[in-house]
Amino acid sequence: LVDLCGAAPAAAYQHAFVYIRQLAIHLRNAIQKTSEAATRQVYSWQFVNCLRLWAQALCALAKPADSPLRQLAYPLVQICLGTARLLPNIRYAPLRFQCVRMLNNLAAELGVFVPVAPLLLETFRFAQLAKPPKKAPRDKPPDWAVLIKVSKADADKWVYQESMVQQALFLLAEHLHGLAYDVSFPELIVPTLAALKRVAKATKIVALQQRARRLSSLLEAHAAWLQPRRDAADFSPKDSGRAAAFLATEREARSGPLSSWFLQEVSASEAREAELRAEAENRGPIEADAPGDDDSDGDDDSDGDDDSAAREKRRKRQASKRERQRQAAQGQAQLEAAAAAGSHELGTATDTVEDFVLSDLEEE
């Protein structure tokens, strides 16, 4: 699909405009109505995959400054930020990480700054992290690439919580590594450094404490490595061309202290993902659940119930599943209808501004 968009940029802009606008409308409805059905329209793989498609299209096609698709980067970033913060709960941390990956890719490919750090630092303040987690020796870390939510039972487990903080710190390091050779790096990391030190001091999770301190020390070391080179620079901040080329050779060679450590983390992360993929292939295909099938949060055990109660539970679950499938089909029909009517909406510039104003989400 990204290649098809590249073959016809003008048509790609029209389609991207319509679908990104429809995503913004779904998000606005979820914020305003606060109903389960409206929230499910956003917290679904259909919504996430649509976000991912247009993020990849912009990364591939919107790099030139005169590309029409580049105008859609801001609304797409705002939708990702709003989606990540819609339900600030530990159960929905996987979807938050999905959005952060898209934002990191957009920032790296388009050369723009996206405030990703607050999204990740908020995960360390989830209430469940202050409680003793449940330990199960046979549990394995989750595969974050294929999750958007987990049940309440899984969210209380030690293996999930430890893996969550590790994934959050890895994505935070990825975000900061993208800024590592920027001339303003020492100032950009000040809020993040302060937050990481507070987390390391307050948390009772040993893995989080150790990794937060390790990342803090690496950020300080990299800032100390960059500072003398910035002091020796002979250009002013208004010289944007030379500022953009600052440490271009070091950036290409990745010779800074932060890069050396981050490349090792990337290799370890890729090895873990390859291991998870191999295990999944060995298990073979499994039957996929409909969106929201785990809303029961793991409380569906029928042990100790009589047969009639168990049958009633199954009947209700099946009815709920059919209703979710109906709502998903309705959402798809709405997207197709919006695409068909897109040409009538492209001329209303004021509607675009109104629908994409989501900045108030960051004040929550």
Side-chain angles (χ1 to χ4, degrees):
L1 289 176
V2 173
D3 292 340
L4 287 175
C5 290
Y13 173 82
Q14 294 182 358
H15 282 82
F17 179 95
V18 171
Y19 279 104
I20 291 175
R21 183 177 186 275
Q22 190 64 30
L23 292 173
I25 292 173
H26 281 309
L27 178 58
R28 183 182 61 185
N29 291 339
I31 295 169
Q32 294 178 346
K33 297 180 180 179
T34 63
S35 65
E36 183 179 351
T39 302
R40 189 174 289 125
Q41 289 289 335
V42 174
Y43 278 62
S44 65
W45 277 112
Q46 180 186 10
F47 190 93
V48 172
N49 286 332
C50 193
L51 274 179
R52 184 182 293 134
L53 167 64
W54 295 117
Q56 291 178 356
L58 263 62
C59 287
L61 306 173
K63 293 179 182 180
D66 58 347
S67 172
L69 284 173
R70 196 175 181 90
Q71 302 173 42
L72 301 178
Y74 176 76
L76 185 62
V77 165
Q78 289 294 309
I79 295 170
C80 289
L81 292 173
T83 301
R85 283 198 169 106
L86 181 59
L87 291 178
N89 187 290
I90 193 172
R91 291 183 55 209
Y92 300 95
L95 180 54
R96 179 172 294 224
F97 294 158
Q98 298 278 2
C99 293
V100 168
R101 291 190 195 96
M102 299 177 210
L103 293 172
N104 280 345
N105 289 337
L106 285 168
E109 296 296 333
L110 303 185
V112 296
F113 174 76
V114 180
V116 168
L119 287 178
L120 298 169
L121 294 172
E122 287 170 8
T123 62
F124 305 136
R125 299 197 295 269
F126 287 145
Q128 289 85 346
L129 297 181
K131 304 174 183 178
K134 299 177 182 178
K135 290 192 176 183
R138 295 186 178 180
D139 286 341
K140 294 183 179 181
D143 186 355
W144 297 100
V146 297
L147 288 177
I148 57 174
K149 64 181 289 189
V150 297
S151 67
K152 287 182 179 179
D154 287 336
D156 290 335
K157 292 181 179 178
W158 171 82
V159 66
Y160 172 79
Q161 294 183 8
E162 180 165 337
S163 180
M164 183 196 73
V165 299
Q166 291 177 1
Q167 182 72 7
L169 286 170
F170 174 79
L171 292 173
L172 180 60
E174 182 181 50
H175 165 65
L176 295 172
H177 183 258
L179 306 170
Y181 299 93
D182 193 280
V183 69
S184 60
F185 179 79
E187 288 76 26
L188 288 173
I189 65 170
V190 169
T192 304
L193 264 178
L196 284 174
K197 290 179 179 179
R198 286 196 301 270
V199 168
K201 184 176 180 180
T203 185
K204 297 180 181 178
I205 302 176
V206 177
L208 174 57
Q209 186 180 76
Q210 294 176 346
R211 288 176 173 267
R213 288 176 176 169
R214 174 63 172 161
L215 181 56
S216 298
S217 63
L218 284 165
L219 293 176
E220 291 175 337
H222 192 88
W225 171 83
L226 184 143
Q227 189 68 48
R229 292 163 172 79
R230 188 174 73 172
D231 293 341
D234 58 351
F235 57 85
S236 64
K238 67 179 182 180
D239 191 348
S240 58
R242 297 187 65 185
F246 179 69
L247 295 182
T249 304
E250 291 83 351
R251 185 196 304 269
E252 184 70 22
R254 296 184 176 183
S255 57
L258 184 60
S259 293
S260 302
W261 170 81
F262 181 69
L263 292 177
Q264 296 176 1
E265 291 293 304
V266 170
S267 299
S269 176
E270 291 176 348
R272 286 194 299 269
E273 290 182 2
E275 183 179 352
L276 290 171
R277 295 288 93 75
E279 291 181 0
E281 291 177 359
N282 291 335
R283 287 196 301 266
I286 60 175
E287 183 178 354
D289 292 333
D293 275 357
D294 60 345
D295 285 345
S296 57
D297 302 329
D299 297 331
D300 290 338
D301 272 340
S302 58
D303 295 343
D305 292 342
D306 55 25
D307 292 341
S308 60
R311 284 196 297 271
E312 181 65 15
K313 278 189 176 182
R314 286 195 294 271
R315 186 189 67 78
K316 289 181 178 179
R317 287 199 299 271
Q318 291 171 357
S320 177
K321 181 177 180 179
R322 287 194 294 270
E323 177 63 16
R324 287 192 290 268
Q325 291 173 340
R326 185 191 67 78
Q327 292 175 354
Q330 185 179 4
Q332 178 64 29
Q334 291 174 354
L335 284 174
E336 293 174 354
S343 59
H344 300 291
E345 300 178 358
L346 292 176
T348 58
T350 56
D351 288 346
T352 306
V353 175
E354 292 176 1
D355 289 333
F356 285 142
V357 173
L358 300 172
S359 58
D360 57 329
L361 293 175
E362 299 184 11
E363 299 175 0
E364 297 179 356

